[in-house]
């Protein structure tokens, strides 16, 4: 192993580089990134970066000098990968072929755009720092805001607009936010949070068109004929793994979203090739070998570190069995989740008024836990999920935490 190439200069890419150096790798590392920026932290872009008091600087992890001199990384930024030749062991960009002995695919995901939005000014997704700058600028101008999609990104943008006292309408196709992912009881709590903080929540509605006045957006048309006035529209309608460059690589891609299919070691099926982060569907032995693709900061960081170690020494690769974890901030409330919501039962242990605590059962085991405004609890439940805690024991533990069952 002399040459490690990491494609994707975001959190997962950075953690792969750091893991390789911590493991004692002294060979050549090349980091290829589609954006011109050094790796930066994406979660703040939909949170603190949009606040009035933020200074507007990108939340970068390291400078170019620190990456080059401190970690010995060859940077190829603003040069997206265009193809992968697994036989020749080369990653191709527009102007060159980069050879590798080990490869980490960490290209993340691309946000879905609203159909018909085209080049209408004032309509945005939120993935890059440029997206966040544009949205923040509109909020600073007092924009009437429409957010499409009441998932975590959309809800955080709505929260940021309301924090500034701006009118915001949140459009969601389902009858409750996040109910398909986390259960109807949690969806009802999420809806109540939005309404309690003055967000106009339009549930069970879809967007049929974007209206503009010779360029700038003026409104959003819904399927019931309503037109919502808007100066800013933000689409939070999901993402697609960034794998178009892998079309002729021979790697196995997921039939529905095109993500990279990996085994439990994060191996992508070709010699020396591993994947991590939003782009990867990985088998998780902790949850009955479920195939999981997770769009979470923690997952990206953990998988990338493991993938780098395995790429450097495949003979010692062992299954990676993490407990997924994520958090989100809405209207000053902290929502946290650990584990999986693919469950046989969803049990509300403590209602929202007492600090929401919800447990998820699969078979006779604790599979997941969600909390709102209970920061001292979630990591305790994460450890119990990792330890394959019995469901009855988990319920007893929750009650000992002082929560009266709803």
């Amino acid at each position: 192993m002399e040459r490690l190439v990491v494609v994707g200069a975001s959190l997962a890419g950075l953690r792969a580089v750091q893991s390789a150096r911590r493991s004692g790798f002294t060979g050549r590392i090349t980091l290829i990134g589609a954006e011109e920026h050094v790796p930066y932290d994406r979660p703040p872009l939909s949170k603190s970066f949009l606040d009035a008091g933020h200074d507007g600087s990108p939340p970068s992890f390291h400078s170019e000098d620190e990456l080059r001199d401190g970690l010995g990384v060859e940077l190829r930024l603003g040069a997206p990968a265009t193809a992968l030749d697994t036989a020749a062991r080369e990653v191709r960009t527009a102007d060159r072929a980069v050879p590798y002995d080990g490869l980490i695919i960490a290209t993340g995901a691309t946000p879905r755009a609203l159909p018909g939005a085209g080049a209408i000014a004032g309509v945005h997704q939120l993935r890059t720092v440029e997206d966040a700058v544009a949205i923040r600028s509109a909020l600073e101008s007092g924009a009437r805001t429409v957010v499409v999609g009441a998932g975590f990104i959309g809800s955080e943008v709505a929260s940021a607009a309301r924090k500034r006292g701006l009118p915001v309408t949140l459009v969601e196709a389902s009858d409750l936010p996040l109910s398909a992912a986390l259960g109807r009881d949690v969806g009802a709590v999420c809806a109540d949070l939005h309404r309690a903080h003055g967000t106009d929540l339009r549930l069970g509605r879809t967007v049929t068109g974007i209206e503009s006045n010779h360029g700038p957006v003026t409104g959003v048309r819904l399927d019931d004929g309503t037109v919502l006035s808007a100066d800013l529209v933000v689409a939070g309608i999901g993402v697609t793994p960034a794998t178009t460059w892998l079309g002729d690589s021979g790697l196995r891609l997921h039939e529905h979203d095109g993500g990279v299919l990996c085994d439990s070691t994060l191996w992508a099926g070709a010699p020396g090739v591993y994947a991590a982060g939003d782009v990867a569907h990985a088998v998780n032995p902790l949850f009955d070998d479920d195939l999981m693709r997770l769009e979470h900061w923690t997952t990206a960081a953990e998988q990338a570190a493991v993938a780098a170690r395995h790429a450097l020494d495949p003979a010692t690769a062992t299954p990676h069995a993490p407990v997924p974890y994520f958090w989100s901030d809405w209207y000053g409330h902290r929502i946290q989740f650990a584990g999986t919501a693919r469950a046989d039962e969803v049990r509300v242990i403590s209602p929202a008024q007492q600090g929401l605590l919800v447990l998820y059962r699969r078979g006779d085991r604790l599979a997941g836990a969600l909390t709102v405004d209970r920061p001292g609890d979630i990591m305790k439940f994460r450890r119990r999920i990792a330890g394959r805690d019995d469901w009855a024991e988990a319920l007893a533990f929750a009650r000992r935490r002082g929560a009266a069952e709803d």
Side-chain angles (χ1 to χ4, degrees), residues 228-316:
L228 305 171
S229 298
D231 309 302
L232 168 67
V233 177
V234 181
I237 53 176
V239 299
T240 302
T243 57
T244 55
W245 64 287
L246 296 173
D248 296 324
S249 66
L251 295 183
R252 294 189 308 130
L253 304 180
H254 195 275
E255 60 180 336
H256 294 304
D257 66 15
V260 179
L261 293 172
C262 302
D263 68 9
S264 62
T265 71
L266 301 171
W267 182 55
V273 180
Y274 293 77
D278 297 10
V279 76
H281 287 271
V283 172
N284 190 330
L286 185 62
F287 299 101
D288 306 315
D289 286 339
D290 277 0
L291 191 64
M292 294 183 170
R293 189 182 71 81
L294 301 164
E295 301 164 10
H296 309 324
W297 191 99
T298 305
T299 297
E302 292 176 348
Q303 285 186 340
V306 171
R309 292 196 300 270
H310 290 176
L312 295 176
D313 191 0
T316 62

Side-chain angles (χ1 to χ4, degrees), residues 99-129:
Y100 68 84
D101 299 311
L103 171 66
I104 310 298
I105 298 171
T107 42
T110 302
R112 298 189 184 104
L114 284 170
I120 297 175
V123 180
H124 302 279
Q125 297 88 42
L126 179 48
R127 183 72 178 182
T128 68
V129 68

Side-chain angles (χ1 to χ4, degrees), residues 129-350:
V129 68
E130 287 82 8
D131 297 332
V133 167
I135 292 168
R136 182 177 134 130
S137 177
L139 294 176
E140 288 175 342
S141 299
R144 299 166 298 173
T145 303
V146 173
V147 180
V148 183
F152 290 106
I153 294 294
S155 295
E156 289 172 356
V157 173
S159 175
R162 289 302 301 141
K163 188 181 292 187
R164 293 173 178 264
L166 301 177
V168 57
T169 302
L170 184 56
V171 180
E172 169 58 42
S174 300
D175 62 347
L176 285 172
L178 293 167
S179 58
L182 298 175
R184 296 190 62 80
D185 289 314
V186 174
V189 170
C190 292
D192 289 343
L193 274 177
H194 287 302
R195 294 188 179 110
H197 291 85
T199 294
D200 181 3
L201 189 59
R202 304 293 180 98
L203 297 174
R205 297 270 71 93
T206 58
V207 173
T208 59
I210 306 296
E211 301 195 349
S212 67
N213 182 17
H214 305 293
V217 65
T218 59
V220 176
R221 188 169 61 253
L222 304 184
D223 57 349
D224 63 356
T226 302
V227 176
L228 305 171
S229 298
D231 309 302
L232 168 67
V233 177
V234 181
I237 53 176
V239 299
T240 302
T243 57
T244 55
W245 64 287
L246 296 173
D248 296 324
S249 66
L251 295 183
R252 294 189 308 130
L253 304 180
H254 195 275
E255 60 180 336
H256 294 304
D257 66 15
V260 179
L261 293 172
C262 302
D263 68 9
S264 62
T265 71
L266 301 171
W267 182 55
V273 180
Y274 293 77
D278 297 10
V279 76
H281 287 271
V283 172
N284 190 330
L286 185 62
F287 299 101
D288 306 315
D289 286 339
D290 277 0
L291 191 64
M292 294 183 170
R293 189 182 71 81
L294 301 164
E295 301 164 10
H296 309 324
W297 191 99
T298 305
T299 297
E302 292 176 348
Q303 285 186 340
V306 171
R309 292 196 300 270
H310 290 176
L312 295 176
D313 191 0
T316 62
T318 57
H320 181 51
V323 178
Y325 166 74
F326 69 84
W327 76 96
S328 187
D329 294 324
W330 302 9
Y331 311 105
H333 298 277
R334 173 60 60 94
I335 300 170
Q336 295 170 283
F337 185 87
T340 179
R342 297 178 190 171
D344 300 317
E345 179 186 358
V346 180
R347 181 84 64 92
V348 178
I349 303 298
S350 174

